[in-house]
Amino acid sequence: MSELVLIPGQCTLADLEQIWREGLAVRLDDSARPAIIEAAARIAAAAQGEAPVYGVNTGFGKLASIKIRPEDTATLQRNLILSHCCGVGEPIEPETVRLIMALKLLSLGRGASGVRPEVVALLEGMLAKGVMPVIPAQGSVGASGDLAPLAHMAAVMLGESRALFQGQEMAGAAALAAAGLAPISLTAKEGLALINGTQVSTAFALTGLFDAFRLARNALVTSALATDAIMGSTAPFLDEVHQLRGHRGQIVAARAIRRLMEGSAIRESHLEGDLRVQDPYCIRCQPQVTGACIDLLTQAAHTLEIEANAATDNPLVLIDANLIVSGGNFHAEPVAFAADQIALAIAEIGAIGQRRIALMVDPTMNYDLPAFLTPAPGLNSGLMIAEVTSAALMSENKHLANPCSTDSTPTSANQEDHVSMAAHGARRLKRMNANLTHILGIEALCASAGVEFRAPLKTSAPLAAVIERLRQSVPPLDQDRFLAPDLEQAAELVRSGALLDALPEALLEEVRS
């Protein structure tokens, strides 16, 4: 298995996406070790001292006023993990669990958590050997950290709970043994360091972000195809228009659409004599909408890259200041806001894409294409209900895009009286991206059919290559047939990036920028 060495505080989004998509093993750079050792020594000393230090020699949450004897430290940490294993729902996918564990390593590697190197080594060993804890997806409110799901991760490190190893689910102790690893006994604060933190919320948000960026790039391609299919104007995509406004995403989106359509004979055929003065907004305002979504995703990406490198447990060991400070870095408000931003972008990319689909199937609006893009309307319904499906998915995403970050509720006997709801705010992104994938797949089907109906006029070479790739998986709809497999195939081409890969390398890089 390939291994990625991470420097805490310097990990990039590209590193994290590679861990998630490629299943890489992860270990911390040796430069992190001195601070980890020093912070652990400070915690060990505090555990033996008389001064109360939250979670080290006291209880947790509302029970923080109860002093814990030094000889009970290990029991305190074990009890913390087991009592917090209260997750419910479907298990998180192993790929995302791997990302969660990598994020936890990065947080511990900042040298502010007070765990021993042995804890870090066990996490690294589990990642290297492929021991993936079974973590229920629900149970976190995104403050005091993602307590319940992270407790399920930590429990496997103690030889408890359940884990996957080589594709088989088994008891945590059995999974560790099969991988040649041994469970660990926790010392002062180590249990708290493992379950305090935003790593589950952040992992959900990152995976939503990675797929949303890929789908935004696909949307530039499908929208360019749709524009040519309905003989739309490229004048609104002129660079001068977008430079006058100045938003980077808008400028990039317009440039990509222009480049995708360069050399289209369809476009050349109606440069003069076209009685339509302006196209509908779903064509004319693509750069303004998709570009704004790209900017929103970029802003969220910046937040999440910072969060991925952050120390987010409590209390934190401030080595230089010689302090152990109880704070609130576990509050996932930045992640919750980022998740809400990503959700808005996903919903809007789908909303304008769905309007292009509706435009292409409507004989009163599609500039002489056959009704519902079938050569024999009436006898055949063509892509009529595919458009309805896209509308259903668009509407569902609109509902899911409602903010989660504003929905706080007090917990833990009002000690934790304002929470972020980041975990489920970020978890919904997977469902929203799945919906958007199908919307864009349907748009690709409709736009390809529309371009083909323009024969003998041809589209641009890049867009022709995209249609050719689509037709390798989905033949033209000459007459009605069982359509569900076509929709799934088109969605898979979007999901996998196969349509993007059909572009020439130089243009692909431009779309990715």
Side-chain angles (χ1 to χ4, degrees):
M1 177 185 291
S2 298
E3 181 182 72
L4 193 62
V5 179
L6 301 179
I7 299 176
Q10 299 180 32
C11 185
T12 67
L13 290 179
D15 292 333
L16 296 169
E17 185 167 9
Q18 192 178 14
I19 292 166
W20 178 56
R21 292 198 188 277
E22 299 179 23
L24 299 183
V26 174
R27 70 173 177 85
L28 296 182
D29 187 82
D30 291 341
S31 62
R33 187 174 176 85
I36 292 172
I37 293 171
E38 179 61 27
R42 303 287 180 93
I43 290 293
Q48 298 298 317
E50 290 299 320
V53 179
Y54 175 73
V56 176
N57 55 13
T58 76
F60 307 104
K62 200 75 169 180
L63 305 176
S65 59
I66 299 175
K67 190 76 161 44
I68 305 298
R69 298 177 302 175
E71 59 267 30
D72 291 332
T73 297
T75 302
L76 174 70
Q77 298 301 313
R78 183 177 180 84
N79 286 349
L80 174 71
I81 299 302
L82 299 181
S83 67
H84 282 57
C85 285
C86 294
V88 299
E90 293 296 316
I92 300 171
E93 306 83 0
E95 298 83 2
T96 305
V97 171
R98 176 175 291 279
L99 183 56
I100 291 167
M101 296 167 71
L103 291 171
K104 178 54 74 175
L105 271 177
L106 283 169
S107 183
L108 299 179
R110 293 299 298 270
S113 299
V115 303
R116 294 165 297 151
E118 292 90 331
V119 175
V120 170
L122 181 54
L123 272 172
E124 291 174 336
M126 291 167 67
L127 285 163
K129 299 294 182 67
V131 177
M132 295 293 107
V134 175
I135 303 177
Q138 295 169 273
S140 173
V141 295
S144 261
D146 296 311
L147 296 172
L150 285 174
H152 284 270
M153 178 200 77
V156 174
M157 301 173 70
L158 306 182
E160 301 287 348
S161 194
R162 308 283 293 175
L164 290 173
F165 180 67
Q166 295 183 347
Q168 299 295 316
E169 183 179 326
M170 59 189 76
L176 291 175
L181 301 170
I184 196 169
S185 294
L186 300 176
T187 60
K189 194 191 173 277
E190 288 179 338
L192 190 58
L194 287 170
I195 70 171
N196 239 197
T198 65
Q199 286 75 41
V200 173
S201 296
T202 304
F204 283 148
L206 284 169
T207 60
L209 175 76
F210 297 149
D211 277 346
F213 263 130
R214 176 177 283 185
L215 292 175
R217 296 176 187 120
N218 273 277
L220 293 173
V221 175
T222 59
S223 66
L225 264 175
T227 301
D228 227 15
I230 64 102
M231 289 188 157
S233 173
T234 54
F237 309 141
L238 288 173
D239 186 59
E240 292 84 348
V241 172
H242 306 285
Q243 292 291 344
L244 282 169
R245 198 174 197 187
H247 293 297
R248 181 183 181 277
Q250 180 177 327
I251 293 166
V252 168
R255 182 183 66 207
I257 296 170
R258 275 197 323 273
R259 293 276 286 110
L260 285 162
M261 295 181 67
E262 276 179 7
S264 168
I266 298 174
R267 175 61 186 129
E268 295 295 324
S269 72
H270 62 100
L271 281 172
E272 297 180 5
D274 192 337
L275 297 180
R276 297 172 298 171
V277 177
Q278 295 185 132
D279 292 319
Y281 286 2
C282 66
I283 299 296
R284 188 172 13 132
C285 300
Q286 292 174 63
Q288 288 81 359
V289 176
T290 307
C293 292
I294 291 170
D295 283 340
L296 206 56
L297 293 175
T298 301
Q299 183 179 342
H302 176 69
T303 297
L304 294 176
E305 187 169 66
I306 292 172
E307 189 72 10
N309 285 284
T312 56
D313 63 296
N314 177 57
L316 293 173
V317 182
L318 309 181
I319 294 174
D320 292 342
N322 195 27
L323 294 172
I324 301 174
V325 178
S326 185
N329 279 4
F330 51 70
H331 198 297
E333 194 81 348
V335 182
F337 283 148
D340 281 348
Q341 288 176 302
I342 297 166
L344 289 172
I346 294 169
E348 282 296 273
I349 292 169
I352 195 168
Q354 200 284 326
R355 296 319 303 155
R356 291 189 296 265
I357 294 168
L359 181 67
M360 286 185 283
V361 301
D362 185 348
T364 65
M365 296 286 289
N366 63 16
Y367 205 53
D368 299 327
L369 291 175
F372 304 108
L373 300 171
T374 176
L379 179 62
N380 294 287
S381 295
L383 290 163
M384 176 191 294
I385 305 304
E387 185 268 327
V388 174
T389 297
S390 73
L393 297 173
M394 173 192 67
S395 184
E396 184 175 310
N397 272 2
K398 287 179 180 179
H399 296 162
L400 289 170
N402 282 302
C404 295
S405 56
T406 56
D407 184 26
S408 178
T409 188
T411 63
S412 192
N414 280 302
Q415 175 74 5
E416 297 155 11
D417 59 351
H418 183 280
V419 299
S420 71
M421 297 301 180
H424 70 262
R427 183 165 50 87
R428 68 181 153 161
L429 301 177
K430 179 182 178 183
R431 179 175 167 190
M432 294 184 70
N433 276 326
N435 290 343
L436 178 55
T437 299
H438 281 90
I439 292 171
L440 296 179
I442 292 168
E443 182 177 17
L445 289 175
C446 291
S448 296
V451 167
E452 288 165 340
F453 278 119
R454 300 297 182 191
L457 295 174
K458 294 183 178 180
T459 190
S460 66
L463 294 180
V466 170
I467 295 173
E468 181 181 1
R469 178 62 189 89
L470 177 74
R471 292 302 177 218
Q472 291 173 12
S473 300
V474 184
L477 189 63
D478 297 325
Q479 59 184 15
D480 284 354
R481 60 173 180 260
F482 186 59
L483 267 181
D486 291 8
L487 270 58
E488 191 54 50
Q489 282 290 326
E492 179 56 32
L493 292 174
V494 170
R495 184 184 301 114
S496 67
L499 292 185
L500 293 174
D501 290 341
L503 297 173
E505 187 62 32
L507 186 50
L508 178 58
E509 287 305 312
E510 190 162 327
V511 170
R512 282 177 175 161
S513 70

